[in-house]
Amino acid sequence: MFALSRAFIRTAAPLVVFTALVLTPRAGVSQTSLTIYNDGRVLVRSTVPVRVPRGGSSLSVPLGTLDPSSLFSLDSNVVIQRASYDGAIDAASAFRRAVGRRISFRRGLRTIANGVQVDDTVSALVLGVDPVRLQLPSGQITFQLPGEPLFPPDLVVTAPTALLSLQSAEARDALRVGYFTEGARWQASYQVVLGGSGATGSARVTGAAVITSETLRADTADIQLLAGSVNSAAASPSPLRNQMMAKAGRVAMDEAASMPVGEQRVGEFHLYSIPERLTLLPGVTSSAALFAPASVRYERSYVVRGQLPYWGYLPQQPGEEEVPVEVSYMLKRPRRTDFGDRPLPGGVARLFQADSAGRLQLVGEAGMDHTPAGEDLRLSAGTAFDFTAKRVQTTYTTRRDSVGGTWRTTATADYRVTISNATDSTATVDVTEERRGDWAVLSSSTPAEKVSSSVTRFRVRVPARGDAVLTYRVRVIW
């Protein structure tokens, strides 16, 4: 016995959607052009080879799974006056269409004379769904499926189809339409090979646009990639997006193009065009070079993050604690250089450095946001192995007073940060404190630099195979 449940709907629907997201010439759709957005939206521009007569007409067009509210004509002289879209291609929708109809259910194989096996079926009248109600031939009512449902062809939509009422100023040999679907997304991937082992040096940077097709298939399509956060009017994920979140079974990598993609600014965003037509297959990841390899200068830095709460009261902290020393690399991107004048779409950057045998090793991986031209790129590599830091609060006092009838608390605290360097080179470690509100550094053993209204930095020079101690006093009012 099988229950028509939400689990059945979730597992059955993606199997049909998986085969329906096909934008191919054999389905009557050709010259497909796609723009893929970072958030998974896909703008489809399709030329359908159908005869559009002058004046009014009605056409049934198989466009695949789409957001019907986004359908529009790409020709200014062709107006879509009305549209009816049937995209309910899952088993649950077929059940809803079957209400009031009698359908068959396959219960398995049954052996008859001479050992021959035949399907054992039973029919039932579908009284309703959500929950399912079936009337068996005996007249009894059941809330369970008596077997695997077998739907008559007229109850099943095999491919999402749009019925369009058109008004055209002239006869045409094709219909050009645009619409949004989902099932593919992209991000940038960067490889940074660091040269040398010093605090500064040169690095070789390569970048690629990585396109992941979750459920979308497009044969020999023009592909464009839009970088940026384009608003979506939907307050919550759409049913279309929920159906498409099933992961495909196979994974592969295809080098999409031998030439770097072209880049241009469109509105407030950046558009990247892949120079060769590309076939997208569900579960296949494709990549295309974003630019020719670039040589850049980098600076390595070490940072110890502060202990002050970002907001609110300043607590008393009784014990010494070990704090991480973060290592990051700043890639310099000056203007009037090929790499500096290039906007970088967001994605993942991986840092590599060669070992003593010349083999590249991963030494850092960082997520990065969209970065405009001319802006340096800071990549966090992780926690330094040979640098350690310990912090302790050495004094703590508070007092309460009233200012203008409002009570406030003032806390004063001293801190000591001990930084150890196990390498053979002297290094500078930045100790930062970040807090909002009324606060100040009253004194310090190393000059305090005001980076912003909320960030103060101490630049501590740590000798090779030695230690350095930073002390400072802060006042916080809340």
Side-chain angles (χ1 to χ4, degrees), residues 113-171:
N114 299 323
V116 177
Q117 290 186 324
V118 297
D119 285 336
D120 181 17
T121 62
V122 63
S123 66
L125 178 65
V126 182
L127 300 177
V129 295
D130 298 327
V132 64
R133 285 99 67 197
L134 302 173
Q135 185 178 47
L136 300 175
S138 64
Q140 295 175 305
I141 307 298
T142 179
F143 290 89
Q144 302 290 325
L145 299 187
E148 179 186 358
L150 302 173
F151 297 105
D154 63 310
L155 295 180
V156 179
V157 176
T158 57
T161 301
L163 180 61
L164 307 178
S165 295
L166 305 174
Q167 187 69 33
S168 178
E170 59 184 18

Side-chain angles (χ1 to χ4, degrees), residues 113-370:
N114 299 323
V116 177
Q117 290 186 324
V118 297
D119 285 336
D120 181 17
T121 62
V122 63
S123 66
L125 178 65
V126 182
L127 300 177
V129 295
D130 298 327
V132 64
R133 285 99 67 197
L134 302 173
Q135 185 178 47
L136 300 175
S138 64
Q140 295 175 305
I141 307 298
T142 179
F143 290 89
Q144 302 290 325
L145 299 187
E148 179 186 358
L150 302 173
F151 297 105
D154 63 310
L155 295 180
V156 179
V157 176
T158 57
T161 301
L163 180 61
L164 307 178
S165 295
L166 305 174
Q167 187 69 33
S168 178
E170 59 184 18
R172 296 172 178 270
D173 294 328
L175 174 66
R176 297 176 61 243
V177 292
Y179 53 88
F180 276 93
T181 185
E182 293 179 340
R185 61 186 64 244
W186 81 281
Q187 70 171 8
S189 175
Y190 302 93
Q191 289 72 44
V192 182
V193 179
L194 303 170
S197 58
T200 61
S202 62
R204 182 176 183 270
V205 182
T206 58
V210 180
I211 308 167
T212 301
S213 177
E214 296 166 343
T215 54
L216 184 66
R217 176 190 174 108
D219 288 348
T220 58
D222 287 325
I223 305 293
Q224 293 179 300
L225 312 171
L226 191 136
S229 300
V230 181
N231 279 351
S232 174
S236 59
S238 65
L240 174 63
R241 178 170 298 184
N242 292 336
Q243 291 175 0
M244 293 181 177
M245 290 310 293
K247 296 295 183 182
R250 59 196 180 97
V251 178
M253 180 64 79
D254 171 46
E255 290 296 331
S258 57
M259 299 174 57
V261 303
E263 182 269 332
Q264 61 179 298
R265 190 171 187 265
V266 177
E268 298 304 318
F269 308 99
H270 287 270
L271 186 69
Y272 298 84
S273 300
I274 295 178
E276 300 175 3
R277 296 179 72 87
L278 179 64
T279 293
L280 299 182
L281 299 173
V284 174
T285 299
S286 305
S287 68
L290 283 171
F291 50 83
S295 179
V296 302
R297 300 293 299 175
Y298 73 84
E299 295 178 359
R300 184 182 62 204
S301 61
Y302 301 99
V303 177
V304 175
R305 301 293 177 186
Q307 195 175 34
L308 299 182
Y310 195 63
W311 194 262
Y313 79 104
L314 179 67
Q316 185 175 13
Q317 296 162 318
E320 185 179 62
E321 63 177 0
E322 188 165 330
V323 290
V325 180
E326 302 173 8
V327 59
S328 63
Y329 293 85
M330 178 76 78
L331 304 186
K332 311 302 289 185
R333 298 197 331 119
R335 288 284 193 176
R336 293 185 294 277
T337 63
D338 183 62
F339 190 60
D341 287 338
R342 181 178 300 278
L344 300 178
V348 176
R350 296 174 177 86
L351 297 156
F352 297 88
Q353 200 162 34
D355 61 17
S356 58
R359 294 166 296 204
L360 292 181
Q361 307 292 345
L362 180 70
V363 296
E365 183 174 294
M368 52 175 283
D369 296 327
H370 301 302

Side-chain angles (χ1 to χ4, degrees), residues 419-439:
I419 305 172
S420 300
N421 177 7
T423 72
D424 295 327
S425 302
T426 299
T428 298
V429 177
D430 292 340
V431 179
T432 63
E433 288 288 3
E434 183 174 5
R435 179 178 170 84
R436 286 190 175 181
D438 191 350
W439 76 287

Side-chain angles (χ1 to χ4, degrees), residues 3 16 36 55 167 190 198 386-387:
V16 185
I36 302 175
Q167 187 69 33
Y190 302 93
D386 290 318
F387 288 82

